[in-house]
Amino acid sequence: MRPYRNTAARGRLRCKISSVTRLALLLSLLVSLVLAFPAAPAALNFTSVDEAATEAVTSGEIPGVVILIGRNDETLYHRAFGWREVVPEPRPMATDTVFDIASLTKPFGTTLAMMSLVERGAINLDAPLGRYLKEFKGNAFEQVTIRRIMTHSAGFPAIPSTDSVAGGFPRAARALAAKPLDYPPGTGFQYSDTGFILLGEVVRRVSGDSLDDYLARVVFRPLGLRDTTFHPDERQRRRAAATEFHNGVMLLGHVHDPRARHLGGVAGHAGMFSTAADLARLCRMLLNEGQLDGKRILKASTVQMMWQRSPEPDGVRTLGWDVSSSFARLMSPFFPVNSVGHTGFTGTAVWIDPPTRTYLIVLTNRVHPSGGGANKIRELRPRVAAAVGAELFVPPLVTGPSSSAPAADGGEAATPTPPRTLGAVRSGLDTLVDQNFAPFQGHAVGLVTNQTGIDSRGRRAIDLFANAPGVRLAAIFSPEHGISGDVDTDVPHGRDAATGRPIWSLYGPTRRPTGDMLYGVSVLVFDIQDIGVRYYTYLATLLYILEDAGRRNIPVVVLDRPNPITGRVVEGPVMDPDLKSFTAPHPVPVRTGLTIGEYARMVVAERRLPVSLTVFPLVGWDRGRWYDETGLPWSNPSPNIRSLTQALLYSGVGLLEATNLSVGRGTEAPFEVIGAPWVEPHALAEALNRQRLSGVRFEAVQFTPTSDVYARTPCFGVRFTVTDRETIRPVTVAFALASALRALHREQFRPEGIQNLLVHRPTMWAFLRGEPLDRLVAWTEVDRSSFLNRRASYLIYP
């Protein structure tokens, strides 16, 4: 280790770091230019990559960054920014800096070693771990296969205790085998260092070489990798990026991960050091089907097998690589479907798109000097991935029929369409009350509901079921925001005061009903008011209910309720199916045009769920009706949807929530105002009004949220006034606003978070490329016709 001792007081160290950071502010741009490789071809523009890296360094949160972008055998971009070390004295980052790549060891080290042994017939992917590590023989580990370990679905704990690995192997194997599994193998996903630590030992016992020696012999030396190793020599340590202090000593060329240190620096989960250039050669080898410069490392079929999505866990991983797990969400939404990659704790990441033979390498020392930079690396990774995706992945635009309405005459405010006077609508719950709950005679009911589960007289479904003759209300299940709809954090379990029934939270430690929760339940009833927007989480809760009920042979009944913003308009892109999440549970557009019952019919059919589903339909509702035309009582479906107008605006403005804007949470008008401390409100309002968008007018505004983003900080922005709810298209409004902010405040606005809820790559790439609004709208509509055809067979109402 480099003999620098941390003898200064913590306060003095912070002072010195701050002064270095100020110096970085002045010099980082110069460093990035001086250390650049030859510029990318003129047709490509990676200015946004420069901006992202420079801002990360000048923020003082990440000392230094190296980024390499390649396609085929060509390096399109390779630059260094900032500092590889800031204490005891600054040393500038260089393109050949050696990094502790942390968990990139898993795909680029352990996985390659394992696939090499699989190819040689020495390891069977579907064999139990006990075949290779005798400590794991026995029934308890019979289902713990090599394949499941490589896809993080084997049941192992995420991180082993330090005591378990202290002293190294074989003691570590005995200690880890003595620990219980966290879940049955093959039933879930949990990213696990434990599993890959064991795979490193598998390589040693099967091959006869330690993991580092095996990789050096089979991969590193044949590929001519100059700086990829588990034990950097003195020459490499002089070029190494520092991490942080350990026992008063700065780690420089010595592994940062404490469990890898206990294992002597060589471990299956972490420990490798490398440079961007060496990692690029590994990427090129894999993209060239296992060979590079005449040296074959793996067979083409082996690489293909390695990158094939595994059905366990839920198709989110391949062997050793990430595709679309929660850990990939900062990178994969900006690369094409079926791209693969991985991230590392020290601030590293690699993402690869095999079909286009494109790869991105991001290396940082974000933990230097005192373990920080976590928030900034979460911002840097998607910014760089988004910039690369927008520049390199441009699919053809094929347009279909649009839902966008024409602008009002002259662009002036249209005459608002007043609510129509129509006959009263009866909800599914009302129909059930009319039948005196006869269909549930003799059943033990599990009721999934919240404050919106009321009949036309305002009576709770909970009380109605509890008092229904011949029916036993066995349990209550609550979604996000809880049973009363006023909670904005995780929801605890509880008990209903009026009935004494248990309330199981489906928005806490688990978002699915467990066997214990469902004990004794003979039928599940879902009665929650949705708002017709894909990322409103009640849709995901319903899907999970349907899936888990099907697994346990419990029938499900959905008591239908109106789509409050009508079922006539469908707007926004159909999500990319591989990016499913709790806010993107099924491939439907942003504004679904479905009732909750119609959505249930769709997901059961399209996912082929083995569940008995019954929908109690609405009576008297048609697709053109707004909620205020139904005669049903309004109950705020969530704390920040307090009116029908806010529900309508949420179907577009909600897309901007994950950016660095306030969408009005913590004010009296959530989703009716939007802004930030750095917005120039009059310029923004003027830019938006010039576009003459249908059904909406923009007004400059100042507001101060009391909670959420920018709490107690004055914000400046615009207020949305809906002038015609029939013609406004909120998704179009959201992109008009985002485009205007990008033009007016490029340095401050961080739009990449739009993709969190948009989850549609072509539209996001088009936005980041700066395409005009009409083109963006066209991108959002590319799958409209196919969705309308899909939707048709599930519709219940005219």
Side-chain angles (χ1 to χ4, degrees):
M1 294 184 182
R2 202 159 177 263
Y4 175 75
R5 297 276 167 181
N6 183 17
T7 56
R10 179 66 66 181
R12 292 174 57 196
L13 174 59
R14 285 178 179 152
C15 181
K16 179 147 191 172
I17 293 167
S18 297
S19 65
V20 170
T21 299
R22 286 194 291 271
L23 182 61
L25 289 171
L26 298 174
L27 297 181
S28 61
L29 277 173
L30 177 62
V31 169
S32 69
L33 294 174
V34 169
L35 298 175
F37 263 41
L44 297 176
N45 181 357
F46 292 114
T47 301
S48 294
V49 177
D50 291 339
E51 292 172 349
T54 299
E55 195 278 330
V57 170
T58 56
S59 73
E61 296 182 52
I62 294 180
V65 181
V66 173
I67 298 173
L68 190 152
I69 304 164
R71 173 171 280 175
N72 296 314
D73 291 327
E74 182 180 8
T75 298
L76 305 178
Y77 179 103
H78 189 186
R79 289 184 176 176
F81 303 80
W83 311 91
R84 65 176 181 258
E85 188 174 5
V86 296
V87 290
E89 59 186 34
R91 295 192 302 145
M93 188 66 76
T95 52
D96 67 346
T97 294
V98 177
F99 286 86
D100 178 339
I101 64 173
S103 283
L104 293 188
T105 301
K106 293 179 177 78
F108 286 109
T110 307
T111 295
L112 296 185
M114 291 294 295
M115 297 310 296
S116 170
L117 292 167
V118 168
E119 183 177 286
R120 288 161 168 75
I123 289 177
N124 182 336
L125 287 170
D126 296 309
L129 176 62
R131 179 179 298 184
Y132 309 106
L133 301 183
K134 64 178 189 252
E135 295 87 347
F136 290 86
K137 287 184 179 294
N139 292 336
F141 299 104
E142 189 63 29
Q143 299 303 311
V144 176
T145 64
I146 299 298
R147 185 186 302 276
R148 285 174 171 158
I149 299 173
M150 294 185 73
T151 58
H152 301 273
S153 59
F156 281 124
I159 299 174
S161 66
T162 301
D163 290 344
S164 297
V165 296
F169 287 95
R171 178 187 176 280
R174 293 193 297 272
L176 293 174
K179 305 289 184 182
L181 297 176
D182 279 4
Y183 58 93
T187 65
F189 164 73
Q190 179 170 268
Y191 182 80
S192 176
D193 283 355
T194 305
F196 269 75
I197 288 171
L198 292 169
L199 291 180
E201 177 66 1
V202 169
V203 171
R204 187 187 72 81
R205 295 193 192 181
V206 171
S207 71
D209 290 330
S210 62
L211 177 63
D212 56 336
D213 287 345
Y214 185 80
L215 284 167
R217 175 168 61 85
V218 174
V219 180
F220 301 163
R221 284 198 295 269
L223 280 181
L225 305 185
R226 299 178 179 179
D227 295 307
T228 301
T229 178
F230 285 82
H231 296 294
D233 58 26
E234 181 60 31
R235 174 185 61 86
Q236 291 160 337
R237 286 197 294 272
R238 285 197 296 268
R239 289 187 286 116
T243 53
E244 59 180 319
F245 289 102
H246 173 62
N247 292 334
V249 179
M250 178 62 71
L251 294 173
L252 192 67
H254 291 266
V255 66
H256 176 266
D257 184 272
R259 282 154 294 279
R261 285 200 301 272
H262 278 291
L263 292 167
V266 180
H269 72 299
M272 275 176 57
F273 289 76
S274 193
T275 62
D278 273 8
L279 290 173
R281 287 188 64 79
L282 284 164
C283 292
R284 289 169 55 203
M285 178 271 292
L286 294 171
L287 291 170
N288 285 326
E289 300 183 323
Q291 64 178 338
L292 185 66
D293 298 338
K295 300 286 187 178
R296 177 162 292 283
I297 306 301
L298 296 171
K299 296 177 182 177
S301 58
T302 303
V303 176
Q304 184 178 11
M305 180 199 315
M306 179 180 68
W307 280 345
Q308 184 71 38
R309 279 180 184 258
S310 172
E312 297 175 3
D314 203 21
V316 299
R317 304 284 300 200
T318 74
L319 295 171
W321 295 78
D322 206 342
V323 182
S324 57
S325 80
S326 57
F327 294 89
R329 287 300 161 86
L330 296 179
M331 306 286 286
S332 65
F334 302 102
F335 265 57
V337 62
N338 292 327
S339 60
V340 298
H342 215 284
T343 59
F345 183 83
T346 52
T348 58
V350 172
W351 221 261
I352 303 173
D353 182 48
T356 62
R357 298 166 60 83
T358 301
Y359 56 92
L360 164 65
I361 299 167
V362 180
L363 303 176
T364 81
N365 53 345
R366 68 97 180 164
V367 297
H368 179 63
S370 54
N375 290 334
K376 187 56 66 172
I377 196 65
R378 282 195 289 269
E379 179 183 310
L380 177 64
R381 283 169 176 159
R383 284 189 69 185
V384 173
V388 172
E391 191 64 28
L392 296 181
F393 308 120
V394 187
L397 175 59
V398 180
T399 60
S402 173
S403 68
S404 298
D409 292 342
E412 300 299 326
T415 302
T417 303
R420 297 171 294 172
T421 302
L422 301 166
V425 170
R426 303 284 287 171
S427 70
L429 178 60
D430 289 321
T431 300
L432 190 57
V433 170
D434 292 342
Q435 297 177 12
N436 201 26
F437 293 86
F440 294 95
Q441 291 286 318
H443 275 288
V445 174
L447 179 61
V448 188
T449 192
N450 63 3
Q451 77 288 348
T452 66
I454 54 178
D455 72 355
S456 57
R457 294 167 54 187
R459 297 177 298 179
R460 296 193 312 165
I462 293 172
D463 300 317
L464 293 170
F465 271 96
N467 296 315
V471 180
R472 183 169 68 89
L473 179 60
I476 304 166
F477 300 85
S478 67
E480 184 180 8
H481 306 302
I483 202 70
S484 58
D486 56 4
V487 180
D488 252 340
T489 58
D490 280 0
V491 179
H493 301 311
R495 190 168 291 276
D496 181 58
T499 65
R501 303 304 197 276
I503 302 174
W504 298 107
S505 170
L506 298 180
Y507 195 79
T510 181
R511 295 183 179 180
R512 293 178 175 274
T514 65
D516 289 342
M517 296 177 187
L518 294 171
Y519 179 78
V521 171
S522 63
V523 61
L524 280 164
V525 178
F526 189 96
D527 187 28
I528 295 176
Q529 177 64 60
D530 180 48
I531 66 169
V533 180
R534 182 185 65 215
Y535 41 80
Y536 209 55
T537 61
Y538 301 160
L539 294 181
T541 297
L542 173 56
L543 173 61
Y544 292 176
I545 287 288
L546 291 165
E547 289 178 335
D548 285 275
R551 293 186 185 105
R552 293 173 171 84
N553 200 30
I554 299 174
V556 174
V557 174
V558 173
L559 305 181
D560 210 4
R561 292 186 173 272
N563 184 323
I565 58 176
T566 82
R568 182 178 60 83
V569 177
V570 170
E571 190 191 9
V574 176
M575 60 166 281
D576 289 337
D578 66 302
L579 299 180
K580 62 186 176 183
S581 70
F582 196 63
T583 52
H586 192 71
V588 295
V590 171
R591 189 172 172 183
T592 66
L594 296 165
T595 68
I596 195 80
E598 291 171 334
Y599 171 81
R601 283 160 54 93
M602 172 180 278
V603 297
V604 166
E606 294 188 342
R607 290 173 174 253
R608 300 181 180 178
L609 300 180
V611 63
S612 170
L613 170 68
T614 302
V615 176
F616 274 64
L618 295 155
V619 176
W621 188 77
D622 65 77
R623 313 204 73 75
R625 281 208 194 193
W626 296 81
Y627 197 90
D628 57 10
E629 297 171 333
T630 65
L632 294 170
W634 170 270
S635 177
N636 294 343
S638 58
N640 288 282
I641 303 294
R642 305 167 192 164
S643 70
L644 187 54
T645 295
Q646 289 170 7
L648 174 62
L649 289 169
Y650 178 77
S651 68
V653 177
L655 290 169
L656 303 174
E657 279 206 81
T659 70
N660 57 337
L661 296 170
S662 167
V663 294
R665 290 182 183 270
T667 74
E668 292 301 312
F671 304 106
E672 295 183 55
V673 295
I674 194 165
W678 39 265
V679 170
E680 205 300 297
H682 295 284
L684 179 59
E686 290 171 7
L688 290 167
N689 283 322
R690 280 197 301 269
Q691 299 195 50
R692 303 154 74 94
L693 299 176
S694 289
V696 64
R697 186 175 64 248
F698 304 91
E699 175 188 356
V701 70
Q702 177 181 343
F703 61 93
T704 302
T706 59
S707 61
D708 208 69
V709 180
Y710 301 125
R712 296 174 296 282
T713 302
C715 292
F716 308 90
V718 294
R719 180 186 302 278
F720 309 100
T721 298
V722 177
T723 58
D724 187 345
R725 65 186 186 181
E726 297 289 351
T727 62
I728 185 176
R729 293 296 178 263
V731 173
T732 299
V733 171
F735 275 108
L737 176 66
S739 297
L741 284 169
R742 194 157 167 83
L744 292 169
H745 300 288
R746 184 180 177 91
E747 291 187 2
Q748 293 88 8
F749 184 40
R750 299 286 177 265
E752 293 80 16
I754 292 172
Q755 181 71 326
N756 285 20
L757 298 180
L758 183 72
V759 285
H760 187 249
R761 294 176 178 91
T763 301
M764 195 66 207
W765 291 332
F767 169 77
L768 293 169
R769 286 195 300 272
E771 294 192 10
L773 185 60
D774 60 340
R775 290 270 298 179
L776 294 180
V777 172
W779 280 111
T780 69
E781 302 288 348
V782 291
D783 295 318
R784 174 180 168 78
S785 294
S786 63
F787 174 74
L788 292 177
N789 289 334
R790 285 171 50 206
R791 185 183 74 146
S793 59
Y794 310 115
L795 299 184
I796 303 172
Y797 314 99

